[in-house]
Amino acid sequence: MEVKYQKTKGLTDKKLSYCPGCTHGIVHKLVGETLEELGMIGDAIGVASVGCSVFSYEFFNCDMQQAPHGRACAEATGIKRVRPDNIVFTYQGDGDLASIGIAETIHAANRGENITVIFINNAIYGMTGGQMAPTTLIGQRTTTSQDGRNQVLTGSPIKISEIFSQIDGVAYLERVSVTNPKQLIKAKKAIKKAFTYQKEKRGFTLIEVLSTCPVNWGMTPVDALKWVESNMVPVFPLGVFKDAGEKNV
Amino acid sequence: MAKVLMKGNEAIAVAALKGGVDAFFGYPITPQNEIPEYLSKHLLAAGKVFVQAESEVAAINMVYGAAGAGARVMTSSSSPGIALKQEGISYIAGAELPCVIVSVMRGGPGLGGIQPSQADYYQATRGGGNGDYQLIVYAPETIQETIDIMKESFDIADYYRNPVLVLVDGLIGQMMETVDFEKPVKKRFIPAKDYATTGTANHPGRNIVNSLFLDPVELEQHNLQLQKKYQQIKNNETKYEMINMENPEYVIVAYGTMSRICRSAIESLKEEGIEVGMIRPISLWPYPKAAFNEIPSGVKGILCAEMSMGQMLDDVMISDKGRHEIGFYGRVGGMVPEPEEIVDAIKNFKDKVVK
């Protein structure tokens, strides 16, 4: 019998620790498939961050380092500078990247570090139990914004792709979602492009993935996907924010 | 290379190159800036890695990444900067990675000042990071000794897979002395870095650099393993010097810049007929507790002298186990005592003990 579909070699056989309906698993699959299809598994060194994806070092089937909270891009810088021919990527959530680690991330981008950042934006702190994130929407209820995020007291959702599009060192930057098969295909293409640019030593690449957190949002997985489309996409519009262009060889 | 006259901080940088450093990550802070300045030129010229990070926090995490990937790596900073690095240092120790950290101490607390100080003894030996971990801490007293220790530190770090902290103060960093970079260092067998994340194409299995153990049984085992290593370091890497210990009436305990000042004081006191010995810890962790067992009988008291308000004093008391009267003399804030102050401190201590 012909095998039509099988799990990517880019992921280990370890059972994922994510909650049912969370889109981390989908994004892991896309990254794993990308590493496999581009023949990068043996050269890849991933950096796991702090948050729900803390255990991603057990899931990606390549060498991995586990970073302190927010420091993934600094750690990736250290790795890439001493191993410039390896493929180095980070996998970070919005608390890790956009709050505690924004300095490390923005400066890695500004130095044009030749690394790929997979940025999961689900508008909430998942691992710690649903606190407000810098990406939390105005009015969104979390355990630390129980009446909804108040713009006067806590500011507005931070738009990482818009901010990073201003940085010279960025070679590729796209915001995607994984709410339906069409978006999934687009997301895969974006991730693949980012890793390809890295292989071509083009500079810093970041893919922001709008993601769900059904448990902390208090929704069913299906409603959570709908909420991304109806509530998150208007605030975080999808699309390519920066593309240094195909390489003219 | 013949003997050359060189500034302490630059000598540290040259010694790092001699020690085979592959990569430096740091952030500017006085009084250690000559270290990154020198390395920025010479590391890049040698095709190696230099990155001026956006912060001390980022710098130590770059060290963490590069050490995990198998490189010989270092950073340098001064007191408030070392405070910022504590998070990364704890992770590096927890993940059992080698690196060399240079701390050129200045006065504190807070922003403090930029003049020489020894007020970071606790920071170095007790650690500001979380968890049961230890750094191997060396506190040289001359630029020559700093060079020799720097060169050896990379081997020691690799051998034990543990960070080594070279602790000097702004005086050693900023002064010039005649030095020789070719003094041989102890040869050590350095095991292959089979833990390094170099890509699974380059080694069997997957390599994971990690300090997370959610299972308490595993985390306790990890800690017990670390303790075993620390015991081995205590047995093998404790360094100290005994000075004028033939028949002393009193004993000074001092390290780094303070021990140099005390050497002069001991000479002056000798001329006055007062014999004073000195225990000079070179490794602050592991602390040379055994040196205190070698104190000859008849010693009337021990004076601990530091450029702090009395931090090493704790270890002196722990090591002496109540056998002697213990006194303390300290200056802080960047005030470096004259030898005469130590002479007076011994005399005052003597009066107190004799009473």
Side-chain angles (χ1 to χ4, degrees), chain B residues 104-136:
Chain B
V104 185
M105 290 182 282
R106 55 188 251 183
L111 204 46
I114 58 170
Q115 300 299 323
S117 164
Q118 294 182 326
D120 299 335
Y121 183 92
Y122 285 152
Q123 186 190 54
T125 61
R126 268 57 171 174
N130 58 305
D132 279 306
Y133 74 92
Q134 291 293 343
L135 305 181
I136 303 166

PDB file of all heavy atoms in Angstrom, chain B residues 104-136:
ATOM      1  N   VAL B 104      35.636  43.197  36.820  1.00  0.00           N
ATOM      2  CA  VAL B 104      36.561  44.234  37.296  1.00  0.00           C
ATOM      3  C   VAL B 104      35.772  45.119  38.260  1.00  0.00           C
ATOM      4  O   VAL B 104      35.029  46.001  37.854  1.00  0.00           O
ATOM      5  CB  VAL B 104      37.135  45.055  36.117  1.00  0.00           C
ATOM      6  CG1 VAL B 104      38.189  46.039  36.610  1.00  0.00           C
ATOM      7  CG2 VAL B 104      37.725  44.140  35.041  1.00  0.00           C
ATOM      8  N   MET B 105      35.940  44.827  39.556  1.00  0.00           N
ATOM      9  CA  MET B 105      35.045  45.403  40.567  1.00  0.00           C
ATOM     10  C   MET B 105      35.220  46.906  40.764  1.00  0.00           C
ATOM     11  O   MET B 105      36.341  47.423  40.779  1.00  0.00           O
ATOM     12  CB  MET B 105      35.271  44.720  41.917  1.00  0.00           C
ATOM     13  CG  MET B 105      34.797  43.302  41.984  1.00  0.00           C
ATOM     14  SD  MET B 105      35.072  42.628  43.655  1.00  0.00           S
ATOM     15  CE  MET B 105      36.825  42.275  43.606  1.00  0.00           C
ATOM     16  N   ARG B 106      34.076  47.577  40.970  1.00  0.00           N
ATOM     17  CA  ARG B 106      34.030  48.984  41.348  1.00  0.00           C
ATOM     18  C   ARG B 106      33.127  49.127  42.577  1.00  0.00           C
ATOM     19  O   ARG B 106      32.463  48.167  42.971  1.00  0.00           O
ATOM     20  CB  ARG B 106      33.507  49.829  40.188  1.00  0.00           C
ATOM     21  CG  ARG B 106      32.153  49.354  39.666  1.00  0.00           C
ATOM     22  CD  ARG B 106      31.758  50.081  38.398  1.00  0.00           C
ATOM     23  NE  ARG B 106      30.661  50.999  38.652  1.00  0.00           N
ATOM     24  CZ  ARG B 106      30.074  51.723  37.688  1.00  0.00           C
ATOM     25  NH1 ARG B 106      30.470  51.619  36.437  1.00  0.00           N
ATOM     26  NH2 ARG B 106      29.078  52.540  37.973  1.00  0.00           N
ATOM     27  N   GLY B 107      33.084  50.318  43.134  1.00  0.00           N
ATOM     28  CA  GLY B 107      32.327  50.517  44.366  1.00  0.00           C
ATOM     29  C   GLY B 107      30.824  50.434  44.172  1.00  0.00           C
ATOM     30  O   GLY B 107      30.300  50.824  43.146  1.00  0.00           O
ATOM     31  N   GLY B 108      30.133  49.939  45.183  1.00  0.00           N
ATOM     32  CA  GLY B 108      28.681  49.836  45.167  1.00  0.00           C
ATOM     33  C   GLY B 108      28.142  50.276  46.493  1.00  0.00           C
ATOM     34  O   GLY B 108      28.893  50.826  47.300  1.00  0.00           O
ATOM     35  N   PRO B 109      26.878  50.051  46.828  1.00  0.00           N
ATOM     36  CA  PRO B 109      25.864  49.370  45.999  1.00  0.00           C
ATOM     37  C   PRO B 109      25.254  50.302  44.946  1.00  0.00           C
ATOM     38  O   PRO B 109      25.579  51.494  44.909  1.00  0.00           O
ATOM     39  CB  PRO B 109      24.802  48.965  47.031  1.00  0.00           C
ATOM     40  CG  PRO B 109      24.930  49.967  48.135  1.00  0.00           C
ATOM     41  CD  PRO B 109      26.385  50.375  48.158  1.00  0.00           C
ATOM     42  N   GLY B 110      24.378  49.743  44.148  1.00  0.00           N
ATOM     43  CA  GLY B 110      23.714  50.510  43.090  1.00  0.00           C
ATOM     44  C   GLY B 110      24.715  50.923  42.027  1.00  0.00           C
ATOM     45  O   GLY B 110      25.641  50.187  41.721  1.00  0.00           O
ATOM     46  N   LEU B 111      24.554  52.129  41.534  1.00  0.00           N
ATOM     47  CA  LEU B 111      25.506  52.603  40.533  1.00  0.00           C
ATOM     48  C   LEU B 111      26.871  52.842  41.170  1.00  0.00           C
ATOM     49  O   LEU B 111      27.892  52.763  40.517  1.00  0.00           O
ATOM     50  CB  LEU B 111      24.963  53.880  39.873  1.00  0.00           C
ATOM     51  CG  LEU B 111      25.463  54.225  38.476  1.00  0.00           C
ATOM     52  CD1 LEU B 111      25.448  53.032  37.542  1.00  0.00           C
ATOM     53  CD2 LEU B 111      24.657  55.367  37.898  1.00  0.00           C
ATOM     54  N   GLY B 112      26.863  53.095  42.506  1.00  0.00           N
ATOM     55  CA  GLY B 112      28.100  53.174  43.284  1.00  0.00           C
ATOM     56  C   GLY B 112      29.062  54.187  42.740  1.00  0.00           C
ATOM     57  O   GLY B 112      28.762  55.375  42.695  1.00  0.00           O
ATOM     58  N   GLY B 113      30.237  53.706  42.340  1.00  0.00           N
ATOM     59  CA  GLY B 113      31.247  54.586  41.761  1.00  0.00           C
ATOM     60  C   GLY B 113      32.052  53.801  40.759  1.00  0.00           C
ATOM     61  O   GLY B 113      31.703  52.668  40.434  1.00  0.00           O
ATOM     62  N   ILE B 114      33.158  54.401  40.282  1.00  0.00           N
ATOM     63  CA  ILE B 114      33.964  53.676  39.298  1.00  0.00           C
ATOM     64  C   ILE B 114      35.362  53.375  39.802  1.00  0.00           C
ATOM     65  O   ILE B 114      36.215  52.921  39.071  1.00  0.00           O
ATOM     66  CB  ILE B 114      34.032  54.438  37.949  1.00  0.00           C
ATOM     67  CG1 ILE B 114      34.616  55.837  38.147  1.00  0.00           C
ATOM     68  CG2 ILE B 114      32.648  54.520  37.311  1.00  0.00           C
ATOM     69  CD1 ILE B 114      34.945  56.541  36.833  1.00  0.00           C
ATOM     70  N   GLN B 115      35.597  53.669  41.097  1.00  0.00           N
ATOM     71  CA  GLN B 115      36.917  53.410  41.665  1.00  0.00           C
ATOM     72  C   GLN B 115      37.004  51.979  42.204  1.00  0.00           C
ATOM     73  O   GLN B 115      35.989  51.352  42.464  1.00  0.00           O
ATOM     74  CB  GLN B 115      37.205  54.427  42.774  1.00  0.00           C
ATOM     75  CG  GLN B 115      37.195  55.882  42.295  1.00  0.00           C
ATOM     76  CD  GLN B 115      38.241  56.156  41.229  1.00  0.00           C
ATOM     77  OE1 GLN B 115      39.346  55.617  41.279  1.00  0.00           O
ATOM     78  NE2 GLN B 115      37.896  56.977  40.241  1.00  0.00           N
ATOM     79  N   PRO B 116      38.248  51.463  42.397  1.00  0.00           N
ATOM     80  CA  PRO B 116      38.429  50.055  42.773  1.00  0.00           C
ATOM     81  C   PRO B 116      37.734  49.665  44.070  1.00  0.00           C
ATOM     82  O   PRO B 116      37.676  50.458  45.007  1.00  0.00           O
ATOM     83  CB  PRO B 116      39.945  49.925  42.928  1.00  0.00           C
ATOM     84  CG  PRO B 116      40.541  51.091  42.245  1.00  0.00           C
ATOM     85  CD  PRO B 116      39.519  52.173  42.227  1.00  0.00           C
ATOM     86  N   SER B 117      37.266  48.438  44.116  1.00  0.00           N
ATOM     87  CA  SER B 117      36.536  47.945  45.276  1.00  0.00           C
ATOM     88  C   SER B 117      36.617  46.422  45.307  1.00  0.00           C
ATOM     89  O   SER B 117      36.947  45.794  44.301  1.00  0.00           O
ATOM     90  CB  SER B 117      35.080  48.397  45.166  1.00  0.00           C
ATOM     91  OG  SER B 117      34.271  47.658  46.050  1.00  0.00           O
ATOM     92  N   GLN B 118      36.336  45.862  46.479  1.00  0.00           N
ATOM     93  CA  GLN B 118      36.223  44.400  46.582  1.00  0.00           C
ATOM     94  C   GLN B 118      34.858  44.045  47.173  1.00  0.00           C
ATOM     95  O   GLN B 118      34.711  43.035  47.848  1.00  0.00           O
ATOM     96  CB  GLN B 118      37.346  43.836  47.460  1.00  0.00           C
ATOM     97  CG  GLN B 118      38.734  44.016  46.842  1.00  0.00           C
ATOM     98  CD  GLN B 118      39.828  43.413  47.698  1.00  0.00           C
ATOM     99  OE1 GLN B 118      39.754  43.417  48.930  1.00  0.00           O
ATOM    100  NE2 GLN B 118      40.860  42.877  47.045  1.00  0.00           N
ATOM    101  N   ALA B 119      33.877  44.877  46.904  1.00  0.00           N
ATOM    102  CA  ALA B 119      32.561  44.718  47.547  1.00  0.00           C
ATOM    103  C   ALA B 119      31.679  43.692  46.837  1.00  0.00           C
ATOM    104  O   ALA B 119      30.516  43.542  47.179  1.00  0.00           O
ATOM    105  CB  ALA B 119      31.852  46.071  47.636  1.00  0.00           C
ATOM    106  N   ASP B 120      32.238  42.972  45.853  1.00  0.00           N
ATOM    107  CA  ASP B 120      31.435  41.966  45.148  1.00  0.00           C
ATOM    108  C   ASP B 120      31.884  40.544  45.472  1.00  0.00           C
ATOM    109  O   ASP B 120      31.713  39.629  44.672  1.00  0.00           O
ATOM    110  CB  ASP B 120      31.504  42.201  43.635  1.00  0.00           C
ATOM    111  CG  ASP B 120      30.954  43.562  43.252  1.00  0.00           C
ATOM    112  OD1 ASP B 120      30.124  44.096  44.020  1.00  0.00           O
ATOM    113  OD2 ASP B 120      31.363  44.099  42.216  1.00  0.00           O
ATOM    114  N   TYR B 121      32.460  40.379  46.671  1.00  0.00           N
ATOM    115  CA  TYR B 121      32.876  39.038  47.100  1.00  0.00           C
ATOM    116  C   TYR B 121      31.662  38.122  47.230  1.00  0.00           C
ATOM    117  O   TYR B 121      31.671  36.991  46.751  1.00  0.00           O
ATOM    118  CB  TYR B 121      33.610  39.144  48.439  1.00  0.00           C
ATOM    119  CG  TYR B 121      34.150  37.832  48.956  1.00  0.00           C
ATOM    120  CD1 TYR B 121      35.437  37.419  48.655  1.00  0.00           C
ATOM    121  CD2 TYR B 121      33.358  37.002  49.753  1.00  0.00           C
ATOM    122  CE1 TYR B 121      35.936  36.213  49.126  1.00  0.00           C
ATOM    123  CE2 TYR B 121      33.844  35.788  50.223  1.00  0.00           C
ATOM    124  CZ  TYR B 121      35.130  35.402  49.906  1.00  0.00           C
ATOM    125  OH  TYR B 121      35.606  34.201  50.377  1.00  0.00           O
ATOM    126  N   TYR B 122      30.613  38.647  47.860  1.00  0.00           N
ATOM    127  CA  TYR B 122      29.383  37.837  47.969  1.00  0.00           C
ATOM    128  C   TYR B 122      28.838  37.513  46.582  1.00  0.00           C
ATOM    129  O   TYR B 122      28.454  36.390  46.288  1.00  0.00           O
ATOM    130  CB  TYR B 122      28.293  38.599  48.746  1.00  0.00           C
ATOM    131  CG  TYR B 122      28.477  38.681  50.251  1.00  0.00           C
ATOM    132  CD1 TYR B 122      27.948  39.768  50.954  1.00  0.00           C
ATOM    133  CD2 TYR B 122      29.124  37.688  50.969  1.00  0.00           C
ATOM    134  CE1 TYR B 122      28.067  39.866  52.333  1.00  0.00           C
ATOM    135  CE2 TYR B 122      29.262  37.777  52.343  1.00  0.00           C
ATOM    136  CZ  TYR B 122      28.733  38.864  53.035  1.00  0.00           C
ATOM    137  OH  TYR B 122      28.855  38.950  54.397  1.00  0.00           O
ATOM    138  N   GLN B 123      28.777  38.556  45.724  1.00  0.00           N
ATOM    139  CA  GLN B 123      28.228  38.371  44.377  1.00  0.00           C
ATOM    140  C   GLN B 123      28.980  37.253  43.638  1.00  0.00           C
ATOM    141  O   GLN B 123      28.385  36.452  42.927  1.00  0.00           O
ATOM    142  CB  GLN B 123      28.346  39.685  43.600  1.00  0.00           C
ATOM    143  CG  GLN B 123      27.697  39.686  42.234  1.00  0.00           C
ATOM    144  CD  GLN B 123      28.085  40.933  41.438  1.00  0.00           C
ATOM    145  OE1 GLN B 123      29.258  41.235  41.252  1.00  0.00           O
ATOM    146  NE2 GLN B 123      27.089  41.657  40.977  1.00  0.00           N
ATOM    147  N   ALA B 124      30.309  37.222  43.853  1.00  0.00           N
ATOM    148  CA  ALA B 124      31.130  36.246  43.138  1.00  0.00           C
ATOM    149  C   ALA B 124      31.025  34.854  43.736  1.00  0.00           C
ATOM    150  O   ALA B 124      30.927  33.867  43.016  1.00  0.00           O
ATOM    151  CB  ALA B 124      32.590  36.707  43.136  1.00  0.00           C
ATOM    152  N   THR B 125      31.061  34.784  45.076  1.00  0.00           N
ATOM    153  CA  THR B 125      31.168  33.469  45.712  1.00  0.00           C
ATOM    154  C   THR B 125      29.825  32.909  46.157  1.00  0.00           C
ATOM    155  O   THR B 125      29.684  31.700  46.277  1.00  0.00           O
ATOM    156  CB  THR B 125      32.086  33.520  46.954  1.00  0.00           C
ATOM    157  OG1 THR B 125      31.508  34.444  47.900  1.00  0.00           O
ATOM    158  CG2 THR B 125      33.484  33.998  46.587  1.00  0.00           C
ATOM    159  N   ARG B 126      28.860  33.784  46.415  1.00  0.00           N
ATOM    160  CA  ARG B 126      27.526  33.318  46.842  1.00  0.00           C
ATOM    161  C   ARG B 126      26.579  33.321  45.666  1.00  0.00           C
ATOM    162  O   ARG B 126      25.588  32.616  45.662  1.00  0.00           O
ATOM    163  CB  ARG B 126      26.966  34.209  47.959  1.00  0.00           C
ATOM    164  CG  ARG B 126      27.288  33.741  49.367  1.00  0.00           C
ATOM    165  CD  ARG B 126      28.762  33.591  49.626  1.00  0.00           C
ATOM    166  NE  ARG B 126      29.066  33.337  51.029  1.00  0.00           N
ATOM    167  CZ  ARG B 126      30.272  33.060  51.489  1.00  0.00           C
ATOM    168  NH1 ARG B 126      31.304  33.000  50.653  1.00  0.00           N
ATOM    169  NH2 ARG B 126      30.470  32.832  52.769  1.00  0.00           N
ATOM    170  N   GLY B 127      26.864  34.137  44.688  1.00  0.00           N
ATOM    171  CA  GLY B 127      26.060  34.153  43.472  1.00  0.00           C
ATOM    172  C   GLY B 127      24.803  34.986  43.625  1.00  0.00           C
ATOM    173  O   GLY B 127      24.185  35.028  44.682  1.00  0.00           O
ATOM    174  N   GLY B 128      24.439  35.708  42.568  1.00  0.00           N
ATOM    175  CA  GLY B 128      23.203  36.477  42.602  1.00  0.00           C
ATOM    176  C   GLY B 128      22.132  35.759  41.827  1.00  0.00           C
ATOM    177  O   GLY B 128      20.975  36.166  41.807  1.00  0.00           O
ATOM    178  N   GLY B 129      22.506  34.685  41.183  1.00  0.00           N
ATOM    179  CA  GLY B 129      21.525  33.903  40.416  1.00  0.00           C
ATOM    180  C   GLY B 129      20.824  32.915  41.316  1.00  0.00           C
ATOM    181  O   GLY B 129      21.198  32.719  42.470  1.00  0.00           O
ATOM    182  N   ASN B 130      19.764  32.287  40.778  1.00  0.00           N
ATOM    183  CA  ASN B 130      18.968  31.366  41.584  1.00  0.00           C
ATOM    184  C   ASN B 130      19.556  29.959  41.569  1.00  0.00           C
ATOM    185  O   ASN B 130      20.184  29.551  40.606  1.00  0.00           O
ATOM    186  CB  ASN B 130      17.520  31.328  41.083  1.00  0.00           C
ATOM    187  CG  ASN B 130      17.447  30.929  39.623  1.00  0.00           C
ATOM    188  OD1 ASN B 130      18.068  31.541  38.771  1.00  0.00           O
ATOM    189  ND2 ASN B 130      16.709  29.883  39.332  1.00  0.00           N
ATOM    190  N   GLY B 131      19.309  29.251  42.642  1.00  0.00           N
ATOM    191  CA  GLY B 131      19.659  27.833  42.685  1.00  0.00           C
ATOM    192  C   GLY B 131      20.998  27.543  43.347  1.00  0.00           C
ATOM    193  O   GLY B 131      21.789  28.432  43.639  1.00  0.00           O
ATOM    194  N   ASP B 132      21.230  26.248  43.594  1.00  0.00           N
ATOM    195  CA  ASP B 132      22.464  25.759  44.219  1.00  0.00           C
ATOM    196  C   ASP B 132      23.534  25.580  43.155  1.00  0.00           C
ATOM    197  O   ASP B 132      23.686  24.502  42.602  1.00  0.00           O
ATOM    198  CB  ASP B 132      22.207  24.395  44.883  1.00  0.00           C
ATOM    199  CG  ASP B 132      21.557  24.530  46.241  1.00  0.00           C
ATOM    200  OD1 ASP B 132      22.096  25.252  47.073  1.00  0.00           O
ATOM    201  OD2 ASP B 132      20.510  23.885  46.459  1.00  0.00           O
ATOM    202  N   TYR B 133      24.229  26.660  42.859  1.00  0.00           N
ATOM    203  CA  TYR B 133      25.322  26.532  41.894  1.00  0.00           C
ATOM    204  C   TYR B 133      26.544  27.268  42.413  1.00  0.00           C
ATOM    205  O   TYR B 133      26.438  28.083  43.322  1.00  0.00           O
ATOM    206  CB  TYR B 133      24.914  27.071  40.511  1.00  0.00           C
ATOM    207  CG  TYR B 133      24.834  28.580  40.428  1.00  0.00           C
ATOM    208  CD1 TYR B 133      25.941  29.327  40.036  1.00  0.00           C
ATOM    209  CD2 TYR B 133      23.673  29.269  40.765  1.00  0.00           C
ATOM    210  CE1 TYR B 133      25.880  30.714  39.966  1.00  0.00           C
ATOM    211  CE2 TYR B 133      23.601  30.651  40.698  1.00  0.00           C
ATOM    212  CZ  TYR B 133      24.712  31.370  40.305  1.00  0.00           C
ATOM    213  OH  TYR B 133      24.662  32.730  40.248  1.00  0.00           O
ATOM    214  N   GLN B 134      27.691  26.956  41.868  1.00  0.00           N
ATOM    215  CA  GLN B 134      28.937  27.607  42.249  1.00  0.00           C
ATOM    216  C   GLN B 134      29.710  28.006  41.012  1.00  0.00           C
ATOM    217  O   GLN B 134      29.734  27.271  40.024  1.00  0.00           O
ATOM    218  CB  GLN B 134      29.823  26.649  43.072  1.00  0.00           C
ATOM    219  CG  GLN B 134      29.282  26.339  44.461  1.00  0.00           C
ATOM    220  CD  GLN B 134      29.280  27.537  45.389  1.00  0.00           C
ATOM    221  OE1 GLN B 134      29.956  28.538  45.130  1.00  0.00           O
ATOM    222  NE2 GLN B 134      28.541  27.443  46.475  1.00  0.00           N
ATOM    223  N   LEU B 135      30.336  29.159  41.078  1.00  0.00           N
ATOM    224  CA  LEU B 135      31.328  29.522  40.075  1.00  0.00           C
ATOM    225  C   LEU B 135      32.694  29.199  40.652  1.00  0.00           C
ATOM    226  O   LEU B 135      32.879  29.238  41.867  1.00  0.00           O
ATOM    227  CB  LEU B 135      31.262  31.022  39.770  1.00  0.00           C
ATOM    228  CG  LEU B 135      29.907  31.568  39.349  1.00  0.00           C
ATOM    229  CD1 LEU B 135      30.020  33.065  39.062  1.00  0.00           C
ATOM    230  CD2 LEU B 135      29.400  30.828  38.130  1.00  0.00           C
ATOM    231  N   ILE B 136      33.643  28.900  39.782  1.00  0.00           N
ATOM    232  CA  ILE B 136      35.033  28.790  40.217  1.00  0.00           C
ATOM    233  C   ILE B 136      35.571  30.213  40.152  1.00  0.00           C
ATOM    234  O   ILE B 136      35.521  30.849  39.096  1.00  0.00           O
ATOM    235  CB  ILE B 136      35.820  27.852  39.288  1.00  0.00           C
ATOM    236  CG1 ILE B 136      35.145  26.473  39.241  1.00  0.00           C
ATOM    237  CG2 ILE B 136      37.281  27.749  39.738  1.00  0.00           C
ATOM    238  CD1 ILE B 136      35.633  25.580  38.122  1.00  0.00           C
TER     239      ILE B 136
END
